[in-house]
Each structure stands twice: as structure tokens, then as C-alpha cells.
Amino acid sequence: MEAFMESHYIRVLPFLFEGLIWTLIITGVGLFFGFILGAIFGMGRLSKNKLIYGISSIYVEALRGTPILAQILFIYFGLPDLLGFNIDKISASIIAISLNAGAYIAEIVRGAVYSIDKGQSEAGRSIGLTRSQTMRYIIWPQAFKRMIPPLGNQFVISLKDTSLFSVIAVGELLYMGQQYYGTTFAAFEALTMVCLLYLAITVPTALYLRKVERRLDV
């Protein structure tokens, strides 16, 4: 036991916990803004206005059709040439997660709203509600219930996507593991613990989502 406590499996943990904090911060903040973008562009994909629909569709297809690794490199290295100032790596990572997740969440929002029976809208209008009031008080609450499981899945996907930010030296979980084995050469031990920490978050999240899905009956 004493030998195990002195092994690289244990010694790497302080480094990894530091990286895990940044992983969770980037994921959480990114998904917060991603949901806002997803709600806006998801509703835009349902709009009868051709301009709004077109802009929303371009955003969704462009972000879903390109790798997030290319997006982070574009934001961190490409945009500064256009904007004339640098973007720090944490901000670039949050922007990348927000934009990327927003595109997928937009489709989640669009699908959830579209899945609500049209009779619900007609019922709202029949009692004197405007279109926006019908959406706010009748359609959206039902649609949001159906969004919860796929939004949870998007959290897991975005969490794992943060590992790609090691290419711009963001101190997330994988990068801290790489830093550790770069000096100790204990790659097997470090990467084993990296994977276990990812699983410690993703597996309970997946199990919880299944429970929520059964409870909501969606």
C-alpha cells in the first residue's frame, strides 16, 4: 500500500485535479453561452423569415460541418490577425465550446420545439394568447422537458472536447497529464488516471441522464 501511495498513480493527482477544475469551468461556462446561442439559432431555424432562417442555418451547418479542433485554432491563431489583438487561451477555449455546442444545441432546440403537437399552438391561440405567449407558456416548457436528455449528452461531448485544447496549451485535464509524464516519463500511469477522471464524470452523468429520461418519460 505504501508503495502504491508513492507511485505515479497518486503523485499525478494534484496536477490532474488542477486541470480538471479548468476542464469543468470551460465546459460549464461554454455550455451556458452555448445554450443561449442554441436557443436563439434553434428558434431561428423554425422562423418563417427567410433571412433569419438563412443566417441560423449557415451558423448551424458551418459549426457542425467543421472540426472543433480547427475552430479553436482559427479562434486562437486566425482571429487575432483579423481583429488586431490577441485572445487569451481560456477565452478562446470558452468561445470555441460555446460556438460549437451552440450549433448542436440549436438542433436540439429545433427538434424539441418541432416535436410538440401543433394542436398545442392552436389551443394557445384559441384562448387569446399571442404567438410569443403561446411559445413561452405552452410550447417551450414542454419542449424543454424533451431537451434535457440530449443536453446532458452534449455536456459529456463538450467535456471530452476540452481535451483538444491542449494544442494551445490550455491547462485542462489532458494537458496537465501530458505535462506530468513529459518530465517523469510515467506516461502509462498519468494517462490511466486521466482516463479514470474523465470516466468519473461521464459515467455518473450518463447514468443520471438515463434516470432522468425514465422519470420524464421522454
Side-chain angles (χ1 to χ4, degrees):
M1 178 61 71
E2 183 178 349
F4 176 75
M5 295 303 295
E6 292 298 322
S7 70
H8 290 293
Y9 292 107
I10 301 301
R11 292 168 59 186
V12 72
L13 287 178
F15 296 88
L16 298 186
F17 285 141
E18 180 181 346
L20 182 60
I21 291 172
W22 280 113
T23 292
L24 293 173
I25 290 174
I26 293 170
T27 303
V29 177
L31 286 180
F32 172 78
F33 290 110
F35 181 77
I36 294 173
L37 290 172
I40 293 171
F41 287 103
M43 296 305 297
R45 294 267 280 175
L46 294 169
S47 176
K48 295 181 179 179
N49 184 298
K50 291 184 179 180
L51 179 61
I52 295 175
Y53 175 82
I55 293 173
S56 300
S57 295
I58 290 172
Y59 165 76
V60 170
E61 297 304 328
L63 272 295
R64 293 178 69 203
T66 54
I68 190 173
L69 180 57
Q71 293 166 16
I72 182 61
L73 292 174
F74 177 80
I75 292 168
Y76 188 65
F77 294 110
L79 274 186
D81 290 341
L82 177 65
L83 300 176
F85 59 86
N86 292 327
I87 302 175
D88 69 87
K89 54 192 177 183
I90 297 297
S91 297
S93 300
I94 291 173
I95 292 171
I97 285 289
S98 300
L99 292 175
N100 184 270
Y104 287 93
I105 292 173
E107 286 298 278
I108 293 172
V109 170
R110 183 192 65 80
V113 172
Y114 191 76
S115 70
I116 303 302
D117 191 275
K118 291 182 179 180
Q120 298 290 316
S121 297
E122 295 171 359
R125 300 299 292 274
S126 69
I127 61 175
L129 297 179
T130 65
R131 185 176 180 181
S132 60
Q133 288 174 329
T134 301
M135 176 60 67
R136 178 179 179 183
Y137 296 114
I138 298 178
I139 305 300
W140 184 261
Q142 297 180 69
F144 185 76
K145 176 182 175 181
R146 300 185 181 185
M147 294 178 207
I148 293 175
L151 286 175
N153 290 332
Q154 184 59 48
F155 167 79
V156 172
I157 292 169
S158 294
L159 178 78
K160 293 186 292 183
D161 282 345
T162 60
S163 63
L164 297 172
F165 300 153
S166 60
V167 299
I168 59 170
V170 174
E172 44 73 49
L173 181 55
L174 178 60
Y175 180 79
M176 296 305 290
Q178 291 174 321
Q179 291 296 102
Y180 182 84
Y181 74 68
T183 56
T184 63
F185 304 103
F188 179 83
E189 294 90 337
L191 293 174
T192 296
M193 298 308 293
V194 166
C195 292
L196 288 176
L197 285 177
Y198 276 119
L199 288 172
I201 299 172
T202 58
V203 171
T205 300
L207 294 174
Y208 178 73
L209 288 173
R210 291 177 190 172
K211 182 178 180 180
V212 170
E213 191 170 348
R214 288 194 298 269
R215 181 177 298 175
L216 296 177
D217 191 27
V218 295

